[in-house]
Amino acid sequence: MTLQQLEYVISLDTYRHFVTAAEKCFVTQPTITIQVKKLEDEIGFSIFDKSKSPFKPTNLGEVFINKSNMILREVNELKNMINTELDSMDGAFKIGVIPTVSPYLIPLISGDFSKKYPETTLIIEEMQTENIVSALKKKEIDIGILVTPLNEPFIREIKLYNEPFVFYGHKNAFYKGKKEVSAEEIENLDNIWLLKSGHCFRNQVLNICSQTTNPKSIQFQSGSIEALKKMVDNYGGFTLVPEMAINKNDIGAAINFKEPKPIREVSIVVHQSFAKDSLIDAVRLEVLEKIPKGFVKNNRFIKINWK
């Protein structure tokens, strides 16, 4: 016995005509006939007396139809309750954000988000990628914002934007006045300043500067992009930073890369079972509204059908 079969029965009782009932259920007449016959075979009695025209319910059929109506009403109320809950954003939600995104993105969105959704509390914590993945798996946090792809089967990724890398060097070095650099030009430069091990951004930088893995070229390791910029300002050398880390007060030389620019993909990630698409979409739209206009944004968002 299925809910679909009960809906066919109710439709037949309403219209007392197989073709009309089938049309109202958006199926063919043979489909509704076969399914109702299967249901009657399962329950052991006829729901409709087809010897008369128009046909009408049998005595047991009347009882069955009344019960079916009650069941379908309860199911619809349950669906409405679930949909209301899924659309609600009231309450507190935990968000993990990697440290190379958090200080540049979160201050941009926090104020306006709070004004738009006063009943929603976002508890935001800086976390490294592996800790976000672990916390999502254990359902200790609701949302992560980090660099993708992760290729984890239990995680759903919603791409936000592509952020370009920017070369940041000492203001008096040879590249002073250059408007663009290529990855090939910086591969053999000395004194690259890197984030310490454990930061995914460190690996991204080393992938761009493929020849700078010699320990002699690594003078200092930090957990802060701002600290790396200060080391460049004071002691020379260079680093690579995400574009949002560049501001008008920087004293070093910030130079864009030539096309094709190296970029990182920043995404919202959630557990596959997380059903609050309304929250995901609200955070997503706030982020896309605040990031620089030149970023390649992902404006598509496929909502999951949780019926």
Side-chain angles (χ1 to χ4, degrees):
M1 185 183 304
T2 67
L3 292 175
Q4 189 67 72
Q5 290 172 327
L6 299 186
E7 289 177 352
Y8 293 158
V9 168
I10 299 304
S11 186
L12 282 172
D13 182 53
T14 301
Y15 299 104
R16 303 295 171 90
H17 190 276
F18 274 88
V19 174
T20 304
E23 289 175 350
K24 297 297 182 180
C25 292
F26 304 101
V27 296
T28 63
Q29 183 267 325
T31 297
I32 201 169
T33 300
I34 292 169
Q35 288 301 316
V36 171
K37 181 63 169 63
K38 282 184 177 180
L39 178 59
E40 289 177 330
D41 290 344
E42 181 181 346
I43 61 179
F45 60 84
S46 295
I47 300 172
F48 296 101
D49 181 358
K50 304 177 190 69
S51 65
K52 300 178 181 180
S53 182
F55 62 81
K56 65 177 185 179
T58 63
N59 290 337
L60 281 175
E62 288 275 10
V63 176
F64 186 88
I65 289 168
N66 289 335
K67 287 289 186 182
S68 297
N69 268 314
M70 292 173 58
I71 290 169
L72 290 176
R73 280 197 300 270
E74 291 290 335
V75 168
N76 285 330
E77 288 178 8
L78 180 60
K79 286 182 179 178
N80 290 334
M81 182 272 289
I82 291 172
N83 288 334
T84 299
E85 176 60 25
L86 293 181
D87 288 338
S88 171
M89 287 174 48
D90 294 358
F93 302 93
K94 295 181 179 179
I95 299 182
V97 188
I98 57 173
T100 59
V101 168
S102 176
Y104 310 111
L105 182 62
I106 299 306
L108 293 180
I109 69 172
S110 298
D112 285 348
F113 190 94
S114 297
K115 292 176 184 177
K116 291 178 184 177
Y117 309 102
E119 304 303 319
T120 303
T121 300
L122 300 183
I123 303 168
I124 302 170
E125 179 181 353
E126 285 193 356
M127 304 170 67
Q128 292 186 18
T129 296
E130 62 181 20
N131 295 331
I132 291 177
V133 171
S134 175
L136 285 173
K137 189 172 186 178
K138 298 175 184 176
K139 299 185 179 180
E140 296 172 343
I141 63 173
D142 300 293
I143 290 176
I145 299 179
L146 43 66
V147 173
T148 50
L150 295 175
N151 299 316
E152 292 284 354
F154 66 91
I155 282 181
R156 177 183 170 203
E157 299 179 5
I158 302 98
K159 178 182 172 182
L160 290 170
Y161 57 86
N162 289 340
E163 181 175 20
F165 287 86
V166 175
F167 176 92
Y168 187 85
H170 194 274
K171 61 181 180 179
N172 293 324
F174 76 91
Y175 35 74
K176 181 179 180 181
K178 287 180 70 74
K179 293 184 178 180
E180 290 184 325
V181 296
S182 66
E184 291 75 18
E185 288 180 86
I186 65 173
E187 280 186 349
N188 294 309
L189 294 180
D190 290 330
N191 298 335
I192 177 173
W193 308 95
L194 296 174
L195 292 180
K196 64 184 179 182
S197 298
H199 288 262
C200 62
F201 192 81
R202 170 193 172 95
N203 296 331
Q204 295 154 23
V205 170
L206 285 174
N207 285 337
I208 297 169
C209 308
S210 57
Q211 303 302 315
T212 56
T213 55
N214 187 330
K216 291 182 179 179
S217 67
I218 302 175
Q219 302 292 314
F220 171 73
Q221 297 182 22
S222 171
S224 162
I225 287 177
E226 295 305 311
L228 296 183
K229 287 162 61 180
K230 292 295 184 184
M231 295 301 288
V232 169
D233 293 342
N234 292 327
Y235 302 110
F238 76 99
T239 189
L240 303 188
V241 300
E243 186 174 311
M244 289 179 68
I246 298 297
N247 63 73
K248 61 182 180 181
N249 296 321
D250 290 333
I251 62 175
I255 308 172
N256 293 323
F257 277 91
K258 296 177 181 177
E259 297 287 352
K261 295 181 179 180
I263 58 96
R264 63 175 183 173
E265 178 184 277
V266 178
S267 302
I268 287 174
V269 294
V270 295
H271 194 281
Q272 285 284 11
S273 64
F274 186 71
K276 288 274 187 183
D277 273 12
S278 55
L279 177 64
I280 296 172
D281 206 24
V283 174
R284 183 186 72 89
L285 290 174
E286 198 64 32
V287 168
L288 294 185
E289 184 180 320
K290 296 298 191 299
I291 60 174
K293 303 295 183 185
F295 283 16
V296 177
K297 304 176 184 180
N298 179 31
N299 292 308
R300 296 180 66 250
F301 176 53
I302 300 174
K303 293 192 176 184
I304 300 299
N305 187 351
W306 299 101
K307 290 194 293 183

